[in-house]
Structures are given as structure tokens and as C-alpha cells.
Amino acid sequence: MPSRQEVAYFGAGPAPLPTSVVEAGAKAFVNFNDCGLGLGEISHRSSAATKILEDAKANLAALYDIPENYEILFMQGGGSGGFSSVVQNLVPVWIERRRRRAEADVKQAQPGAEQAQIDELVFQRLQKEVDEELKLDYLVTGSWSLKASQEASKLLGSKHVNVALDARKANGGKFGKIPAEDSWSLTPTKKEGGKGSAFVYYCDNETVDGVEFPSLPKSLEPQGQDAEDERLVVADLSSNFISRKVDVSKYAVLFGGAQKNIGVAGIAIAIVRKDLLPPQTATPPAALLQRLNIGGLPGPVVFDFATTAKNNSLYNTLPIFNLWVAGQVMADLMTEFGAQKVGGQEAIANQKAQLIYGALDKYPQVYQVVPDASVRSRMNICFRVNGGDDVKEKEFIAGAEKRLLQGLKGHRSVGGMRASNYNAVPLENVQKLVKYLEDFAAGL
């Protein structure tokens, strides 16, 4: 049986963890801090659990320089749960802003009207605006953003979902490129002569397809609009969390599952701007949402940002062991990089990715990188062997397994190869992969 040190694992998720965290976790799962109980047993409301939670928040805030006006939430449901939760939480913000505006207009137009009459007129206007103007913008650049847009359509109805970009249309029906921004069809904001969308969603790194946005798209940069007409930007960071710097202040919500770069499955993280939560933004009454008959709203309480924030992520039983693992990973990064914070990890991630892509590009007759060079993921490196020849790809996997290079098979939906270069993949394992890439190419 091979030892942990002998195996070089490149799986896409669950992903490798730092060995030091795994070893410490094994002890903590049996007897945490010599308290006689393991981390899977202690109460999520105990003082020990509270400290684990606060430490994890503090380390994530430090790594990303998260501003004070953001909440850090630990939830469940993974990245897929985030597809639903952003709809559940941000569409009511759009509705409440419209309701307030409608109420102010009605009161100004009919100063002597009774409240019941005002409420009915507001509802009629709101119903019309929801029916005609409610839009959610999606940038579909891979399998996960496609699923996110499909979830929104399932919850609200497809007429409310604007696929502002379907990258397949510019790439022969397959994902692998991100067309120029001037080809996107984002819902115009008020400043741009339109009505604005409830939010615009994109997946920063597509795990299946190996596509990563190089940076925040320019069209999503803050434009200085009035708060009620701004473009709320939502990004799914599931597979590139804490791998590069992010200006959190430019986003309404950042979310993702932990099981790739941060920890083990069972924990999801959401970073949410506080002014989108009560009391700064009121939540429309459930009765109003029900009367408006918007599918999926109001949604499950476990996906509610406001409830989660109000209860310090402990409304329901948070898996404390999973949280501790994520917290330890983040704490170790802070210890390792200090003042560099996530920038230190970004430099290493870039170095490792360049080594792998360098080896692939060196032998174009053997390896073909799937995504366009302008959007190559640093985290999930997707390529084909001999143009996708089934025999050669099986031979490649078999040879890799003999060298204990594991997890290189591509996602079942697209095939091919995928080397996931997450934070916990050490440089020496990347070097082993590069050596194999060169040896395999030389042997053909």
C-alpha cells in the first residue's frame, strides 16, 4: 500500500488537504484539545465551537481583506445550494426596493388615500413590474454556471432569466472561450436607459471545463449608480476560493463550497454585503411574496442569509469538524504567508499552473489544452491526449496510475484529462506530473 507522501492526487473535489491538517484532524476527531470528545461530537453551541467559528471568520476576513460591511456566513448545501440561495435572497431585495419606490409614488399621487387602498395600488404596480421587468442575468461559461441558470429558471420561470452570455455560441457549441464583453446582453441599468436586473451571476472558475475569468469583467465593475439601480454582482468561487486576490467590495455576494480549496464537503461559505440584509434592507413579508406568486419564494429557511447572519451561522446544526478543517487551512495560510495573505498563495498557484501548461504546450502533437489560452484555469487544467484518442487516453491514465499520479481523469460529461491544481497540491507533486507528461510524450 502506498503512503500518503507517495501519492500525488489531482482530483477535482473532494480535493487534497494539507497533510498537517489531516493529521491534526485525525486527533481532533477522536479527542479535541483533550476534552474527551471529538469534533464530530461537541455541541455546535459550545464555547469551543464558538471559538472555532470566530477564528475561521477572522482568518477568512484577513486573507481577503473583507470590509467591515460584509457578513461571513457558514452554511450547508455546497455550491449548488448557493445557486438557490442567491435567488432566494436577492430577488426579494429587488422586490422590496421596487415596493418602497411604488409606495412613495402612490402616497405622493394620492395624499389622502387610506393605507389599505395604498397597499392595493402598490401591489398592482408591483405585480406588473415583477411580471414585465424582473430579470436575473447569467453569464454561462461552463457546466456549473449553466446549472445555476437552470436552477433560477426552475425557481422563477425562464422568462425571468436572461442568459446574457452563452459561451458555447462562440465556440462551436462547446465551452472553452469567453467572448468579448461587447457581445454580452446584460440587462441595462437605469443609468444605461433600462430597468436593471436583480443581479448578475457568474462562475469565476469552471471546474469541469477548465475556464477561469482572468479578473472581474469590466462591465461588472461598480458604475457609481444610485444604490437602488446598481448592478449587484454574484460570483461562485467554489473551485478557486482563496487562490488569488479578490476585491470583495465590488461584489454583492461571493459564495462557494469548501471541498476544493478550503476543506471537506459539508460546509459552504457566503460573503454577503450587509446592506442587502435586514435591518438595512427590509425583507418583503412572506404573504406578499406568496401573493405575487413568484415560484420558489419565500424559500427554505436554511438558505436564508438573514436568518443565518442573525444566528451567527448556527440557526441549525453546523458541522463543527468540517468548519474546523476549513479554519485550519485558512489559519495555516495566514501563518505561511503573513502580510502577503492570499497573494502569497496566488503566486504559488500561478507557478504550478505555468509548469503544467508549459509541459502541455511543449508537445502540441501529443497534448491539446481544451480552453482558449486567454481563459485557462489555474485550478483545473483540462486537456486531451492525441486529440481525444480513446486508446491513448486510457494508456495515459494507466501510466499515470503506475506512478501514483491519481485523479487525472476528466469529468464524465466531457471526458479527457483534468489536473486540478488546488492550493494543497504541493509543488513537488506538480513536478512529478510534469516529468510524466514529458516522459509520456517522449515515448510516443
Side-chain angles (χ1 to χ4, degrees):
M1 295 289 289
S3 68
R4 181 178 180 85
Q5 288 70 29
E6 293 174 303
V7 172
Y9 183 58
F10 297 92
L17 288 163
T19 295
S20 60
V21 172
V22 173
E23 291 173 344
K27 295 178 181 178
F29 195 74
V30 175
N31 189 353
F32 178 64
N33 285 354
D34 295 323
C35 73
L37 292 174
L39 275 177
E41 300 167 300
I42 67 170
S43 169
H44 62 300
R45 303 194 186 281
S46 65
S47 59
T50 298
K51 187 176 189 313
I52 290 170
L53 176 60
E54 294 308 315
D55 286 349
K57 281 186 178 183
N59 284 313
L60 182 57
L63 281 168
Y64 269 155
D65 289 317
I66 298 176
E68 290 290 328
N69 63 321
Y70 282 77
E71 287 279 0
I72 298 173
L73 309 176
F74 294 100
M75 306 175 73
Q76 295 172 59
S80 297
F83 300 162
S84 305
S85 65
V86 294
V87 174
Q88 176 181 327
N89 288 276
L90 294 187
V91 170
V93 170
W94 185 92
I95 291 171
E96 179 59 19
R97 288 176 171 179
R98 294 300 186 100
R99 189 200 65 78
R100 288 202 308 260
R101 192 182 304 167
E103 186 175 60
D105 290 349
V106 169
K107 286 182 176 179
Q108 184 177 16
Q110 302 193 34
E114 295 183 358
Q115 190 61 46
Q117 183 183 6
I118 292 171
D119 290 345
E120 184 57 31
L121 290 172
V122 167
F123 173 77
Q124 292 174 9
R125 171 170 153 176
L126 199 56
Q127 182 75 78
K128 187 174 187 295
E129 290 183 352
V130 166
D131 187 58
E132 298 177 359
E133 299 174 13
L134 175 60
K135 295 294 180 183
L136 282 60
D137 289 345
Y138 280 81
L139 305 181
V140 176
T141 56
S143 300
W144 289 110
S145 51
L146 176 61
K147 289 181 178 180
S149 69
Q150 291 169 340
E151 177 70 1
S153 294
K154 183 178 75 174
L155 291 173
L156 297 186
S158 59
K159 76 172 186 177
H160 296 299
V161 176
N162 172 42
V163 177
L165 161 65
D166 185 340
R168 294 171 295 182
K169 294 180 179 179
N171 194 42
K174 296 182 179 181
F175 293 118
K177 289 185 179 180
I178 299 179
E181 293 184 40
D182 59 10
S183 69
W184 302 356
S185 57
L186 293 166
T187 302
T189 63
K190 184 177 180 181
K191 184 179 180 180
E192 296 166 338
K195 299 291 186 178
S197 60
F199 62 81
V200 54
Y201 161 96
Y202 75 100
C203 182
D204 204 37
N205 183 79
E206 291 282 1
T207 321
V208 172
D209 305 283
V211 171
E212 184 175 29
F213 279 85
S215 59
L216 174 66
K218 290 183 179 179
S219 56
L220 304 187
E221 290 275 354
Q223 302 295 316
Q225 298 107 323
D226 293 338
E228 302 230 341
D229 296 308
E230 69 176 325
R231 181 172 276 139
L232 297 178
V233 179
V234 174
D236 178 353
L237 302 184
S238 289
S239 53
N240 64 355
F241 242 136
I242 60 173
S243 72
R244 67 180 180 183
K245 295 178 182 177
V246 173
D247 186 348
V248 174
S249 68
K250 295 181 178 180
Y251 296 85
V253 178
L254 295 165
F255 76 90
Q259 69 275 13
K260 301 180 187 295
N261 258 345
I262 298 182
V264 295
I267 290 287
I269 299 171
I271 304 169
V272 183
R273 214 174 70 199
K274 289 181 180 178
D275 69 329
L276 301 174
L277 303 172
Q280 296 186 53
T281 292
T283 301
L288 174 60
L289 294 175
Q290 290 163 353
R291 190 181 177 196
L292 287 169
N293 194 28
I294 305 174
L297 298 178
V301 68
V302 292
F303 286 162
D304 185 64
F305 291 157
T307 299
T308 305
K310 183 179 179 181
N311 290 276
N312 192 29
S313 298
L314 296 172
Y315 177 80
N316 59 330
T317 306
L318 192 66
I320 298 302
F321 176 74
N322 308 52
L323 176 64
W324 178 88
V325 171
Q328 286 297 118
V329 169
M330 293 186 286
D332 286 355
L333 286 178
M334 283 299 299
T335 299
E336 182 175 0
F337 297 115
Q340 290 181 284
K341 301 177 181 178
V342 76
Q345 181 60 55
E346 180 175 9
I348 293 176
N350 292 345
Q351 177 190 6
K352 293 188 298 176
Q354 288 166 7
L355 285 172
I356 299 172
Y357 281 122
L360 295 172
D361 290 338
K362 186 177 178 181
Y363 303 99
Q365 73 281 11
V366 179
Y367 306 116
Q368 296 79 44
V369 177
V370 174
D372 186 76
S374 63
V375 293
R376 286 179 174 180
S377 169
R378 302 161 306 118
M379 297 286 104
N380 308 104
I381 298 166
C382 297
F383 60 98
R384 304 307 298 252
V385 178
N386 275 47
D389 180 88
D390 186 59
V391 173
K392 290 298 180 184
E393 292 199 329
K394 287 180 178 178
E395 181 182 332
F396 179 88
I397 289 293
E401 292 282 350
K402 288 180 181 178
R403 297 196 188 193
L404 300 180
L405 301 170
Q406 299 181 3
L408 289 169
K409 195 171 183 180
H411 191 273
R412 62 187 181 279
S413 65
V414 295
M417 307 296 133
R418 176 175 55 177
S420 292
N421 173 42
Y422 295 132
N423 289 354
V425 175
L427 177 60
E428 54 266 32
N429 286 1
V430 167
Q431 292 168 336
K432 290 178 183 178
L433 174 59
V434 168
K435 180 66 166 60
Y436 175 62
L437 290 170
E438 293 178 340
D439 290 349
F440 183 84
L444 289 181

